[in-house]
Amino acid sequence: VQLQASGGGLVQAGGSLKLSCVASGSIDVIDGLGWYRQTPGKQRELVATITSGGSTNYGDSVKGRFTISRDNAKNTVYLQMNSLKPEDTAVYYCAAAPRVLNPKYRRYSVWGQGTQVTVSS
């Protein structure tokens, strides 16, 4: 599976951006798609994920501001980011979780290249 992310850029605080990530390859083995982010010196953190069935999960810092969605026909996951803050500045990575029998073992183990999001104050 290959993941190609796009949509990053520079935006002022309070503004919006929309990220997209297209999955290709053996996409039939994929269940979850999502976004993580990382800043220098910090661990990669969860932004949002969405399963093939539409169940979503958000990191606490983005709840109410970011919305993840998915178009299965286009093998694409989106991240609509509103009310952006300078602390949202990071490299955002698209990720995929292979399908597993037991959802509790779902792991986001496939990574795309990052896209930089910079929010100026």
Side-chain angles (χ1 to χ4, degrees):
V1 175
Q2 293 80 45
L3 303 172
Q4 181 68 47
S6 62
L10 173 64
V11 64
Q12 288 188 331
S16 299
L17 276 177
K18 186 174 185 177
L19 305 183
S20 301
C21 176
V22 180
S24 61
S26 300
I27 56 177
D28 55 321
V29 304
I30 292 301
D31 178 11
L33 288 170
W35 297 92
Y36 287 72
R37 66 188 183 187
Q38 189 170 25
T39 54
K42 293 187 177 181
Q43 285 190 327
R44 197 169 293 186
E45 67 168 348
L46 166 71
V47 177
T49 60
I50 183 168
T51 68
S52 57
S55 296
T56 58
N57 185 36
Y58 291 91
D60 288 341
S61 62
V62 307
K63 286 179 180 177
R65 300 186 298 122
F66 292 10
T67 302
I68 191 169
S69 61
R70 178 171 176 165
D71 185 335
N72 289 327
K74 295 182 178 180
N75 303 317
T76 301
V77 62
Y78 304 97
L79 184 69
Q80 177 66 48
M81 305 185 291
N82 298 328
S83 302
L84 282 160
K85 305 175 181 180
E87 50 264 44
D88 294 317
T89 296
V91 177
Y92 283 69
Y93 294 92
C94 180
R99 196 176 306 278
V100 292
L101 289 178
N102 189 332
K104 76 175 184 179
Y105 296 118
R106 183 185 299 123
R107 295 292 182 267
Y108 286 80
S109 57
V110 181
W111 298 92
Q113 94 289 359
T115 185
Q116 177 71 46
V117 172
T118 302
V119 184
S120 63
S121 57

